[in-house]
Amino acid sequence: MSDLDFNYILNKMKNQEVDRPNKSTSGTLSGHAAGEPFEKLAYKELKEKYPGRIFKQYEYLNDIYLKNPTHITVKQRKELFDSPTALFLFSRGDNAIRYWSPQNIFDEKQNDTADILYYDHHFYDIIDIKTRNIKKGGQPPNIISAYKLANMCALMLDNEEFDNIEIDYIEIDWIEDGDKLKCTDTHHGRLFKANPETLYINWSAGMQIQFHVSELDQSWKDSRREWAIEYLRKFVNSAEDRCTKMRKTYIEPFLRYIQ
Amino acid sequence: MSDLDFNYILNKMKNQEVDRPNKSTSGTLSGHAAGEPFEKLAYKELKEKYPGRIFKQYEYLNDIYLKNPTHITVKQRKELFDSPTALFLFSRGDNAIRYWSPQNIFDEKQNDTADILYYDHHFYDIIDIKTRNIKKGGQPPNIISAYKLANMCALMLDNEEFDNIEIDYIEIDWIEDGDKLKCTDTHHGRLFKANPETLYINWSAGMQIQFHVSELDQSWKDSRREWAIEYLRKFVNSAEDRCTKMRKTYIEPFLRYIQ
């Protein structure tokens, strides 16, 4: 289990200021890049608080490969994970694993599962930082691929692995303040505490689950096993709905032109 | 018909340099924002070459509303378009139209159809500038919503409107060059000259058609009417394929967990 103190990091980040990542003359601050300095800061604070337990996902992979220099085949390197679920979530593809060497280590990859990984005695906590310009309306951000999550749930059920992984989100709200960005508020949400039924899957946005962390339901009381089953039910129903909607909107209205 | 000279603008842009839009220390240059200065430059060059005929989409709307001050209802303002297809492609929603006034004019909107609009005697040419960092691999960019295009084709067929709209793309290839970005090459592609069968629809990326302009097929010889029908056939088949794939990938493998 995680002994991560989320209140510590929430409080630590509140009222922090970072430099604007772009020139204030070069237009609007938007998208993921705008909040990046806060992400870096949260990572630094976590690393200081939990030395040896906080990694970027690629750092974690580099770390376990470097510590196990006799594991050189793809199979051996995969076996460094004692959890099929963690292997699925964090490992790179076979080719990347094969060509890894101390001279050719991994670097950040855009579709890595975790921004930040907390690891302690076979327990993994995925920590994603979501930064939010609160002066902009803005749609809820992409959280995680609904399909990746479905595969994860299937693996958890197949392997009876329910206690070794946690997925946590931190929202950092910020405003522009001259040459600085200022954090005005922070929030924590735990994915497995959200009733799966409340999750929104945006099929046309890379099948991403989308929510603002501060608005995430946290009412789930049942077991992790039940969560996995309930999530898969949600995922399948949502896929069915999407197909029905596609037929009605994208197929039927146009048939008369092509028949 | 358009007398737009694409070779002129392609040559004009080649070897041009613009300022980097971000500090070179603030990390990678990526996404749409990176090439924005080239977009602005192309717009400026076109405006100089074709005075009174080049607009941003919102500028065009502001222009026709300002020139027709007696058209004040939503219905009247919509009637300023003598083409149902153009109305569909370029108009704003009813509420936005209702609240437009000389003191409350339109501004750029992210889902506007055109970056740049050439208008001349009831003829519209949509000109989209696609900038490309050629040192990055990079997926083909989003071009236009496949669904918007399907609706456009249906309107063209319903109204027998086949000659008043053209859709053109300009690709501007660039590299980083110290504090500058330099255009190394330019390309032109015309949507209605691409065989619809060759277009790729990315359903999970906002149903966007995606291609690199320089790689766009330009072999279509048949009529515009046939193009519209052929595109609708492509769109419907692609939607059917997507549903089949969703069922196979996102539904069937997970049913055993929830039954």
Short mmCIF file of all heavy atoms in Angstrom, two decimals, chain A residues 33-77:
data_model
loop_
_atom_site.label_atom_id
_atom_site.label_comp_id
_atom_site.label_asym_id
_atom_site.label_seq_id
_atom_site.Cartn_x
_atom_site.Cartn_y
_atom_site.Cartn_z
N ALA A 33 1.37 22.17 -22.58
CA ALA A 33 2.67 22.81 -22.41
C ALA A 33 2.63 23.93 -21.38
O ALA A 33 3.59 24.14 -20.64
CB ALA A 33 3.17 23.35 -23.75
N ALA A 34 1.50 24.64 -21.31
CA ALA A 34 1.42 25.80 -20.44
C ALA A 34 1.70 25.43 -18.99
O ALA A 34 2.41 26.14 -18.29
CB ALA A 34 0.04 26.44 -20.57
N GLY A 35 1.15 24.34 -18.54
CA GLY A 35 1.29 23.98 -17.13
C GLY A 35 2.52 23.15 -16.82
O GLY A 35 2.75 22.80 -15.65
N GLU A 36 3.31 22.85 -17.82
CA GLU A 36 4.46 21.96 -17.65
C GLU A 36 5.39 22.34 -16.49
O GLU A 36 5.85 21.46 -15.76
CB GLU A 36 5.25 21.86 -18.96
CG GLU A 36 5.57 20.43 -19.36
CD GLU A 36 6.25 20.33 -20.73
OE1 GLU A 36 7.37 20.87 -20.87
OE2 GLU A 36 5.66 19.75 -21.63
N PRO A 37 5.67 23.64 -16.31
CA PRO A 37 6.55 23.99 -15.18
C PRO A 37 6.00 23.52 -13.83
O PRO A 37 6.77 23.15 -12.94
CB PRO A 37 6.61 25.51 -15.24
CG PRO A 37 6.28 25.87 -16.65
CD PRO A 37 5.32 24.81 -17.11
N PHE A 38 4.69 23.50 -13.68
CA PHE A 38 4.10 23.01 -12.43
C PHE A 38 4.31 21.51 -12.28
O PHE A 38 4.54 21.00 -11.18
CB PHE A 38 2.61 23.33 -12.36
CG PHE A 38 2.33 24.77 -12.03
CD1 PHE A 38 1.67 25.58 -12.93
CD2 PHE A 38 2.72 25.30 -10.81
CE1 PHE A 38 1.42 26.91 -12.63
CE2 PHE A 38 2.47 26.63 -10.49
CZ PHE A 38 1.81 27.44 -11.41
N GLU A 39 4.19 20.81 -13.40
CA GLU A 39 4.42 19.37 -13.39
C GLU A 39 5.83 19.07 -12.90
O GLU A 39 6.03 18.21 -12.05
CB GLU A 39 4.29 18.88 -14.83
CG GLU A 39 3.38 17.70 -15.02
CD GLU A 39 3.38 17.33 -16.48
OE1 GLU A 39 2.65 18.01 -17.22
OE2 GLU A 39 4.11 16.39 -16.87
N LYS A 40 6.79 19.82 -13.46
CA LYS A 40 8.19 19.62 -13.08
C LYS A 40 8.41 19.91 -11.60
O LYS A 40 9.15 19.21 -10.91
CB LYS A 40 9.10 20.54 -13.92
CG LYS A 40 9.29 20.05 -15.34
CD LYS A 40 10.29 20.90 -16.11
CE LYS A 40 10.38 20.44 -17.56
NZ LYS A 40 10.80 21.53 -18.46
N LEU A 41 7.75 20.96 -11.13
CA LEU A 41 7.90 21.35 -9.73
C LEU A 41 7.32 20.28 -8.81
O LEU A 41 7.94 19.90 -7.80
CB LEU A 41 7.21 22.70 -9.50
CG LEU A 41 7.35 23.32 -8.12
CD1 LEU A 41 8.82 23.55 -7.77
CD2 LEU A 41 6.60 24.66 -8.06
N ALA A 42 6.14 19.78 -9.14
CA ALA A 42 5.51 18.75 -8.31
C ALA A 42 6.41 17.51 -8.25
O ALA A 42 6.58 16.89 -7.19
CB ALA A 42 4.14 18.39 -8.86
N TYR A 43 6.98 17.17 -9.39
CA TYR A 43 7.89 16.02 -9.46
C TYR A 43 9.09 16.24 -8.53
O TYR A 43 9.47 15.34 -7.77
CB TYR A 43 8.35 15.88 -10.92
CG TYR A 43 9.46 14.89 -11.16
CD1 TYR A 43 9.26 13.53 -10.96
CD2 TYR A 43 10.71 15.33 -11.59
CE1 TYR A 43 10.29 12.63 -11.19
CE2 TYR A 43 11.73 14.45 -11.83
CZ TYR A 43 11.52 13.09 -11.62
OH TYR A 43 12.54 12.21 -11.85
N LYS A 44 9.65 17.42 -8.57
CA LYS A 44 10.82 17.75 -7.74
C LYS A 44 10.44 17.66 -6.24
O LYS A 44 11.17 17.07 -5.43
CB LYS A 44 11.27 19.17 -8.09
CG LYS A 44 12.61 19.60 -7.49
CD LYS A 44 12.96 21.02 -7.96
CE LYS A 44 13.49 21.90 -6.84
NZ LYS A 44 12.49 22.50 -5.93
N GLU A 45 9.29 18.20 -5.91
CA GLU A 45 8.86 18.18 -4.51
C GLU A 45 8.64 16.74 -4.03
O GLU A 45 9.00 16.38 -2.91
CB GLU A 45 7.55 18.99 -4.33
CG GLU A 45 7.67 20.47 -4.63
CD GLU A 45 8.44 21.24 -3.54
OE1 GLU A 45 8.84 20.63 -2.53
OE2 GLU A 45 8.65 22.46 -3.72
N LEU A 46 8.03 15.94 -4.89
CA LEU A 46 7.77 14.54 -4.51
C LEU A 46 9.08 13.78 -4.35
O LEU A 46 9.24 12.98 -3.42
CB LEU A 46 6.90 13.86 -5.57
CG LEU A 46 5.40 14.19 -5.51
CD1 LEU A 46 4.70 13.78 -6.80
CD2 LEU A 46 4.74 13.49 -4.31
N LYS A 47 10.02 14.04 -5.25
CA LYS A 47 11.32 13.35 -5.20
C LYS A 47 12.06 13.70 -3.91
O LYS A 47 12.73 12.84 -3.30
CB LYS A 47 12.16 13.78 -6.41
CG LYS A 47 12.67 12.61 -7.27
CD LYS A 47 13.45 13.11 -8.47
CE LYS A 47 14.52 12.13 -8.89
NZ LYS A 47 14.04 10.94 -9.59
N GLU A 48 11.93 14.94 -3.48
CA GLU A 48 12.58 15.36 -2.23
C GLU A 48 11.95 14.71 -1.02
O GLU A 48 12.63 14.30 -0.08
CB GLU A 48 12.48 16.89 -2.08
CG GLU A 48 13.67 17.62 -2.71
CD GLU A 48 13.49 19.13 -2.69
OE1 GLU A 48 12.92 19.66 -1.69
OE2 GLU A 48 13.89 19.76 -3.67
N LYS A 49 10.64 14.59 -1.08
CA LYS A 49 9.90 14.03 0.06
C LYS A 49 10.09 12.52 0.14
O LYS A 49 10.13 11.95 1.24
CB LYS A 49 8.42 14.39 -0.12
CG LYS A 49 7.45 13.74 0.84
CD LYS A 49 7.32 14.51 2.14
CE LYS A 49 6.19 13.92 2.99
NZ LYS A 49 6.29 14.37 4.39
N TYR A 50 10.16 11.84 -1.02
CA TYR A 50 10.25 10.37 -1.04
C TYR A 50 11.47 9.91 -1.83
O TYR A 50 11.34 9.33 -2.91
CB TYR A 50 8.98 9.77 -1.65
CG TYR A 50 7.73 10.14 -0.91
CD1 TYR A 50 6.85 11.08 -1.42
CD2 TYR A 50 7.44 9.55 0.33
CE1 TYR A 50 5.70 11.43 -0.73
CE2 TYR A 50 6.30 9.90 1.02
CZ TYR A 50 5.43 10.85 0.48
OH TYR A 50 4.31 11.19 1.18
N PRO A 51 12.67 10.18 -1.29
CA PRO A 51 13.86 9.85 -2.08
C PRO A 51 13.93 8.36 -2.40
O PRO A 51 13.60 7.52 -1.57
CB PRO A 51 15.02 10.28 -1.15
CG PRO A 51 14.42 10.47 0.19
CD PRO A 51 12.97 10.77 0.01
N GLY A 52 14.31 8.07 -3.64
CA GLY A 52 14.45 6.67 -4.06
C GLY A 52 13.14 6.00 -4.42
O GLY A 52 13.13 4.85 -4.86
N ARG A 53 12.03 6.70 -4.25
CA ARG A 53 10.75 6.06 -4.55
C ARG A 53 9.96 6.77 -5.65
O ARG A 53 8.91 6.29 -6.08
CB ARG A 53 9.90 6.01 -3.28
CG ARG A 53 10.37 4.92 -2.32
CD ARG A 53 9.47 4.81 -1.11
NE ARG A 53 9.87 5.74 -0.05
CZ ARG A 53 9.18 5.96 1.07
NH1 ARG A 53 8.02 5.33 1.27
NH2 ARG A 53 9.62 6.79 1.99
N ILE A 54 10.45 7.93 -6.07
CA ILE A 54 9.74 8.70 -7.11
C ILE A 54 10.54 8.69 -8.41
O ILE A 54 11.74 9.01 -8.41
CB ILE A 54 9.52 10.16 -6.65
CG1 ILE A 54 8.55 10.20 -5.47
CG2 ILE A 54 9.02 11.04 -7.80
CD1 ILE A 54 7.10 9.90 -5.81
N PHE A 55 9.87 8.32 -9.49
CA PHE A 55 10.53 8.20 -10.79
C PHE A 55 9.63 8.77 -11.87
O PHE A 55 8.41 8.80 -11.73
CB PHE A 55 10.75 6.72 -11.15
CG PHE A 55 11.52 5.93 -10.15
CD1 PHE A 55 10.89 5.35 -9.06
CD2 PHE A 55 12.89 5.74 -10.30
CE1 PHE A 55 11.60 4.60 -8.12
CE2 PHE A 55 13.62 5.00 -9.38
CZ PHE A 55 12.98 4.42 -8.30
N LYS A 56 10.26 9.21 -12.95
CA LYS A 56 9.51 9.24 -14.21
C LYS A 56 9.41 7.79 -14.66
O LYS A 56 10.27 6.97 -14.33
CB LYS A 56 10.27 10.06 -15.27
CG LYS A 56 10.42 11.51 -14.91
CD LYS A 56 9.27 12.28 -15.51
CE LYS A 56 9.38 13.74 -15.16
NZ LYS A 56 8.22 14.48 -15.69
N GLN A 57 8.39 7.47 -15.46
CA GLN A 57 8.24 6.07 -15.86
C GLN A 57 9.51 5.52 -16.53
O GLN A 57 9.96 4.42 -16.23
CB GLN A 57 7.03 5.94 -16.80
CG GLN A 57 6.78 4.52 -17.25
CD GLN A 57 5.49 4.40 -18.05
OE1 GLN A 57 4.56 5.18 -17.86
NE2 GLN A 57 5.43 3.42 -18.93
N TYR A 58 10.09 6.31 -17.42
CA TYR A 58 11.30 5.83 -18.12
C TYR A 58 12.49 5.72 -17.17
O TYR A 58 13.34 4.85 -17.33
CB TYR A 58 11.62 6.72 -19.33
CG TYR A 58 12.10 8.12 -18.99
CD1 TYR A 58 13.45 8.41 -18.88
CD2 TYR A 58 11.19 9.14 -18.75
CE1 TYR A 58 13.89 9.69 -18.55
CE2 TYR A 58 11.61 10.41 -18.43
CZ TYR A 58 12.96 10.69 -18.33
OH TYR A 58 13.38 11.94 -18.00
N GLU A 59 12.52 6.60 -16.17
CA GLU A 59 13.59 6.51 -15.16
C GLU A 59 13.49 5.20 -14.40
O GLU A 59 14.51 4.57 -14.08
CB GLU A 59 13.47 7.65 -14.15
CG GLU A 59 13.94 9.00 -14.63
CD GLU A 59 13.76 10.09 -13.56
OE1 GLU A 59 12.93 9.91 -12.63
OE2 GLU A 59 14.44 11.11 -13.66
N TYR A 60 12.27 4.82 -14.09
CA TYR A 60 12.07 3.57 -13.35
C TYR A 60 12.58 2.39 -14.17
O TYR A 60 13.29 1.51 -13.65
CB TYR A 60 10.58 3.40 -13.01
CG TYR A 60 10.33 2.09 -12.30
CD1 TYR A 60 10.66 1.93 -10.96
CD2 TYR A 60 9.78 1.00 -12.99
CE1 TYR A 60 10.45 0.72 -10.32
CE2 TYR A 60 9.58 -0.20 -12.35
CZ TYR A 60 9.91 -0.35 -11.02
OH TYR A 60 9.72 -1.54 -10.39
N LEU A 61 12.24 2.38 -15.45
CA LEU A 61 12.71 1.30 -16.33
C LEU A 61 14.24 1.30 -16.41
O LEU A 61 14.89 0.26 -16.26
CB LEU A 61 12.10 1.44 -17.72
CG LEU A 61 10.57 1.27 -17.80
CD1 LEU A 61 10.06 1.66 -19.19
CD2 LEU A 61 10.16 -0.16 -17.47
N ASN A 62 14.82 2.47 -16.65
CA ASN A 62 16.28 2.55 -16.70
C ASN A 62 16.88 2.05 -15.38
O ASN A 62 17.88 1.32 -15.38
CB ASN A 62 16.72 4.00 -16.94
CG ASN A 62 16.43 4.47 -18.35
OD1 ASN A 62 16.36 3.65 -19.28
ND2 ASN A 62 16.25 5.77 -18.53
N ASP A 63 16.25 2.43 -14.29
CA ASP A 63 16.76 2.06 -12.96
C ASP A 63 16.79 0.54 -12.76
O ASP A 63 17.81 -0.02 -12.36
CB ASP A 63 15.87 2.72 -11.90
CG ASP A 63 16.48 2.62 -10.50
OD1 ASP A 63 17.55 3.21 -10.30
OD2 ASP A 63 15.88 1.94 -9.64
N ILE A 64 15.69 -0.13 -13.07
CA ILE A 64 15.68 -1.59 -12.82
C ILE A 64 16.57 -2.33 -13.81
O ILE A 64 17.17 -3.33 -13.46
CB ILE A 64 14.24 -2.20 -12.79
CG1 ILE A 64 13.48 -1.93 -14.10
CG2 ILE A 64 13.45 -1.65 -11.60
CD1 ILE A 64 12.15 -2.70 -14.18
N TYR A 65 16.70 -1.84 -15.03
CA TYR A 65 17.60 -2.50 -15.98
C TYR A 65 19.06 -2.31 -15.55
O TYR A 65 19.86 -3.25 -15.61
CB TYR A 65 17.44 -1.93 -17.40
CG TYR A 65 16.15 -2.32 -18.10
CD1 TYR A 65 15.13 -3.02 -17.45
CD2 TYR A 65 15.96 -1.98 -19.44
CE1 TYR A 65 13.96 -3.35 -18.11
CE2 TYR A 65 14.79 -2.32 -20.11
CZ TYR A 65 13.79 -3.00 -19.44
OH TYR A 65 12.64 -3.33 -20.10
N LEU A 66 19.38 -1.09 -15.11
CA LEU A 66 20.77 -0.81 -14.68
C LEU A 66 21.14 -1.62 -13.44
O LEU A 66 22.27 -2.08 -13.30
CB LEU A 66 20.94 0.69 -14.38
CG LEU A 66 21.05 1.62 -15.60
CD1 LEU A 66 20.88 3.08 -15.19
CD2 LEU A 66 22.39 1.44 -16.32
N LYS A 67 20.17 -1.81 -12.56
CA LYS A 67 20.43 -2.56 -11.32
C LYS A 67 20.51 -4.07 -11.56
O LYS A 67 20.88 -4.83 -10.67
CB LYS A 67 19.33 -2.27 -10.30
CG LYS A 67 19.50 -0.94 -9.59
CD LYS A 67 18.43 -0.78 -8.52
CE LYS A 67 18.55 0.57 -7.81
NZ LYS A 67 17.23 1.04 -7.33
N ASN A 68 20.09 -4.50 -12.74
CA ASN A 68 20.09 -5.94 -13.05
C ASN A 68 20.82 -6.21 -14.37
O ASN A 68 20.22 -6.65 -15.35
CB ASN A 68 18.64 -6.44 -13.14
CG ASN A 68 17.92 -6.34 -11.81
OD1 ASN A 68 18.04 -7.23 -10.97
ND2 ASN A 68 17.19 -5.26 -11.61
N PRO A 69 22.13 -5.95 -14.37
CA PRO A 69 22.88 -6.01 -15.63
C PRO A 69 22.97 -7.41 -16.23
O PRO A 69 23.32 -7.55 -17.40
CB PRO A 69 24.27 -5.49 -15.24
CG PRO A 69 24.36 -5.69 -13.77
CD PRO A 69 22.97 -5.57 -13.23
N THR A 70 22.64 -8.44 -15.45
CA THR A 70 22.70 -9.79 -16.02
C THR A 70 21.40 -10.16 -16.73
O THR A 70 21.31 -11.17 -17.42
CB THR A 70 22.99 -10.84 -14.93
OG1 THR A 70 21.95 -10.79 -13.96
CG2 THR A 70 24.34 -10.57 -14.28
N HIS A 71 20.36 -9.35 -16.56
CA HIS A 71 19.12 -9.57 -17.30
C HIS A 71 19.24 -8.87 -18.65
O HIS A 71 19.12 -7.65 -18.71
CB HIS A 71 17.93 -9.00 -16.53
CG HIS A 71 17.58 -9.78 -15.30
ND1 HIS A 71 18.45 -9.95 -14.25
CD2 HIS A 71 16.44 -10.45 -14.96
CE1 HIS A 71 17.86 -10.67 -13.31
NE2 HIS A 71 16.65 -11.00 -13.71
N ILE A 72 19.49 -9.63 -19.68
CA ILE A 72 19.75 -8.97 -20.97
C ILE A 72 18.77 -9.33 -22.08
O ILE A 72 18.58 -8.56 -23.01
CB ILE A 72 21.20 -9.23 -21.46
CG1 ILE A 72 21.50 -10.72 -21.46
CG2 ILE A 72 22.21 -8.46 -20.60
CD1 ILE A 72 22.83 -11.07 -22.11
N THR A 73 18.12 -10.48 -21.99
CA THR A 73 17.15 -10.80 -23.03
C THR A 73 15.84 -10.07 -22.74
O THR A 73 15.60 -9.59 -21.62
CB THR A 73 16.86 -12.31 -23.10
OG1 THR A 73 16.16 -12.69 -21.91
CG2 THR A 73 18.16 -13.12 -23.20
N VAL A 74 15.00 -9.97 -23.78
CA VAL A 74 13.69 -9.32 -23.60
C VAL A 74 12.92 -10.04 -22.49
O VAL A 74 12.31 -9.41 -21.62
CB VAL A 74 12.89 -9.34 -24.92
CG1 VAL A 74 11.47 -8.86 -24.70
CG2 VAL A 74 13.59 -8.48 -25.98
N LYS A 75 12.96 -11.38 -22.53
CA LYS A 75 12.23 -12.18 -21.54
C LYS A 75 12.71 -11.87 -20.11
O LYS A 75 11.91 -11.62 -19.21
CB LYS A 75 12.42 -13.67 -21.87
CG LYS A 75 11.56 -14.63 -21.06
CD LYS A 75 11.54 -16.03 -21.69
CE LYS A 75 10.86 -17.04 -20.80
NZ LYS A 75 11.64 -17.39 -19.59
N GLN A 76 14.03 -11.87 -19.96
CA GLN A 76 14.60 -11.58 -18.63
C GLN A 76 14.22 -10.18 -18.15
O GLN A 76 13.87 -9.99 -16.98
CB GLN A 76 16.13 -11.69 -18.69
CG GLN A 76 16.64 -13.12 -18.71
CD GLN A 76 18.14 -13.19 -18.98
OE1 GLN A 76 18.69 -12.34 -19.69
NE2 GLN A 76 18.78 -14.19 -18.43
N ARG A 77 14.30 -9.23 -19.05
CA ARG A 77 13.99 -7.86 -18.64
C ARG A 77 12.51 -7.71 -18.29
O ARG A 77 12.15 -6.95 -17.38
CB ARG A 77 14.42 -6.88 -19.74
CG ARG A 77 15.94 -6.66 -19.74
CD ARG A 77 16.44 -5.77 -20.84
NE ARG A 77 17.89 -5.58 -20.68
CZ ARG A 77 18.71 -5.08 -21.61
NH1 ARG A 77 18.23 -4.71 -22.78
NH2 ARG A 77 19.99 -4.93 -21.36
#
